[in-house]
Amino acid sequence: MGSRCLPGHRRKVAQGLLAQGSARVRQQMADRGGARKEKELESGQPLHRLDLRLALPAALVWAASLAGLWLPPIELAALCCTLAAAGGLVLARVATGGRAPRIANAAGRAGTPATRSRVRSFPAAAGAALLLAAAAAAHSATASSQRFTGPLAEAVTAGKSAVAVVEVAETPRAVAGPGGSDGRWSVPVWTKEVTTGGNVVRTRARLLVMGGQGWGRVVPGQTLRAAGKLRPADPGVPEAGNLAASTPPGPAVGGSLLEGSAKDLRERYVAAAAFLPPDARGLLPGMVTGDTGELDEGLNNAMKAVGMTHLTAVSGANCSLVLGALLLLCRRLRLPRAPAAAAALAGLALFVVLVGPDASVLRAALMGAIGVASLAGGRSGRGLSLLCLAVLGLLLADPGLGSSFGFLLSVLATLGIILLGRRIISWIPAAVPRWAAASVAVPLSAQLLCGPVIVLLQPQFSTYSLAANVVSSPLVAPVTLLGTAAVPLVVLVPWAATALIAVAGTFSAGVAATARFAAHLPGSALPWPEGVPGMLSMVLLSLLSLATIWAAARPLRVARWVRRAHAATAVLLDGVERRLPGRRTPGSLDRGHRRGRLGYCNKTSGRNIRWPLRKSEHPAPRHRTQLPGGT
């Protein structure tokens, strides 16, 4: 009879143990939830968990884009097939159930469907990441074939002369000389038609035009004619070749009406700002429309020295400000959510057309578009997911961005603001206004992540970069908003545009004055090691800076940690002393009656020495010391 009841008894015992374990787990989760609520009450804002599901697809797509710049077409096709097959197998296994772990609840039954979906979310994300990486590799295979095979690759290898109809892809960059008409410029372009050796090749390939006079004035999106000699490109770059231009850019061929209108509007804006002082006259068009043709070379060097080059042209901050202003305007007009999102996206698209489809502008525009779509759908606060979506969209559209340092810096700056910006703001005492804390936290968080990459491009340390960016940050918003509002008024109401340009020019003059003042301070640009050692040392400096800021924001906690470390050190030394062979000396550590204090006494030879010593009543006899050589 007892043997028959034994299995039931064991079952009851197992269920009781399982219930106790489940209760303990629920209690731990409740404690964590209470601690989380306490942190939320202390910081005054809800704490959001990082959503890392899109981080793996973004990383794999970026890696596939970089591989497409180095591998020949055959190896790249093999990689593409391997990634697609692996992704298909993973997704098929997830769809059929696979061997997902069986999570039991307190009653011993299987977990809920929500629990099982969370268990399978990572394999599903991995499978989708492999398929997206395969798509990026397939897109890169097209550009790889243009670099290795085809009539254009043969013409580049042979170094033939060519006449090409091209579309400007990015803003020109000065490569030699002080700039202007006497310098040399590098202009990334997309080919539409290439004529070489009597043959016409109609293909869309990426070339790098190296030109002199006139090439510094071209703008992204402009269609023109270029003539020169083809040369092979460096390995690991997205260009299929280089074109050494022997003539200035030819007249625009084709070209859309929208591009022509945007170019004319930029020229009118530069002419309307001609009455401003020299620094404001050159900086304002660059911060609003991306036209840096009038920017003074001395001011440009000063902004490079203090780490303010992101302000000399349109960047992601400008797109974010424009998008935010449009959303606020739509909210003031009481528009519904969907029409407000459509109006904001339309305004952002017109702004991108005005400044030109540069890589950083496209990245910021796509980031803002995804943010507006999430707001229209009622979901917000997922900055990392939005950034990963922006990276995925841009790399799938143009895998060549994977090797762009500008694209990398823009992604790192946004990532730093997402990961560290809110934390640094929460570290700052509540007595400091939130806008002041944000003005310090945003440039600091971006600089901490961008610093190791910047020293690879420019091996120097900008000592006053943070201070200069903090001082100039309140001036950027008026320049962007007032200057952008003046662009359409240049044609419609010129006198109103002149007033807005005057006010925006005053703020841009303040930005220029801040850059020049910081650049003339002693030690504004210190030399830094080059290459990988310089990057690693900057990573260490960034970590130390972050730890210093955290310690400065929590002095009491740091003091408690120091005291605990002191007590632990005393205990450790006492234990080491006890383990030493031999008798314990009087000078050893004593923690028994001193409550953690380190005590010691002087070693004596067993004599009872009184201190201080008493003076004797009889004078001590004096002995005469003979001089050397005396008798």
Side-chain angles (χ1 to χ4, degrees), residues 43-69:
S43 60
Q45 55 188 0
L47 299 178
H48 299 283
R49 293 182 178 179
L50 290 178
D51 191 355
L52 301 176
R53 287 176 294 179
L54 292 178
L56 180 60
L60 287 181
V61 169
W62 203 322
S65 301
L66 288 176
L69 301 176

Side-chain angles (χ1 to χ4, degrees), residues 51 183 255 265 295 338 437 440 561 580 583 597 608:
D51 191 355
L265 197 57
L295 186 64
V440 176
W561 283 6
L580 291 177
R583 185 178 180 181
R597 299 177 182 177
N608 186 14

Side-chain angles (χ1 to χ4, degrees), residues 132-394:
L132 290 175
H139 194 176
S140 301
T142 305
S144 177
S145 62
Q146 294 174 348
R147 290 194 303 269
F148 289 94
T149 60
L152 181 60
E154 296 175 358
V156 169
T157 305
K160 296 181 179 180
S161 299
V163 177
V165 178
V166 297
E167 177 185 352
V168 180
E170 297 180 13
T171 304
R173 295 186 297 269
V175 294
S181 59
D182 296 331
R184 299 285 296 175
W185 300 85
S186 64
V187 185
V189 298
W190 289 101
T191 63
K192 292 186 175 181
E193 181 180 293
V194 180
T195 304
T196 174
N199 299 323
V200 178
V201 181
R202 291 181 174 86
T203 180
R204 182 174 176 81
R206 191 179 178 94
L207 292 179
L208 185 65
V209 178
M210 307 293 294
Q213 183 178 6
W215 284 98
R217 301 288 300 174
V218 300
V219 294
Q222 183 180 359
T223 303
L224 44 86
R225 189 182 299 273
K229 191 173 184 179
L230 294 172
R231 295 176 180 175
D234 297 331
V237 297
E239 288 81 13
N242 298 336
L243 178 64
S246 57
T247 60
V253 180
S256 64
L257 179 62
L258 193 60
E259 294 175 0
S261 301
K263 180 182 178 182
D264 182 67
L265 197 57
R266 285 192 295 264
E267 293 176 352
R268 289 193 179 190
Y269 190 84
V270 173
F275 68 93
L276 296 175
D279 286 349
R281 182 172 62 244
L283 186 59
L284 179 61
M287 296 180 67
V288 176
T289 65
D291 190 349
T292 57
E294 300 295 331
L295 186 64
D296 182 68
E297 190 66 23
L299 177 59
N300 190 22
N301 294 333
M303 300 187 81
K304 287 182 179 178
V306 296
M308 298 175 62
T309 53
H310 60 280
L311 299 178
T312 58
V314 176
S315 61
N318 301 76
C319 292
S320 301
L321 289 172
V322 171
L323 186 63
L326 291 175
L327 287 175
L328 289 177
L329 180 61
C330 294
R331 180 177 296 180
R332 184 59 63 101
L333 296 177
R334 298 184 181 277
L335 293 178
R337 181 179 295 175
L345 291 178
L348 183 62
L350 291 177
F351 180 75
V352 170
V353 173
L354 174 65
V355 302
D358 198 61
S360 62
V361 178
L362 287 176
R363 194 270 317 162
L366 184 58
M367 184 75 177
I370 295 175
V372 171
S374 65
L375 290 176
R379 304 184 70 182
S380 60
R382 298 193 174 186
L384 185 59
S385 299
L386 299 181
L387 177 62
C388 292
L389 282 177
V391 171
L392 285 172
L394 287 173

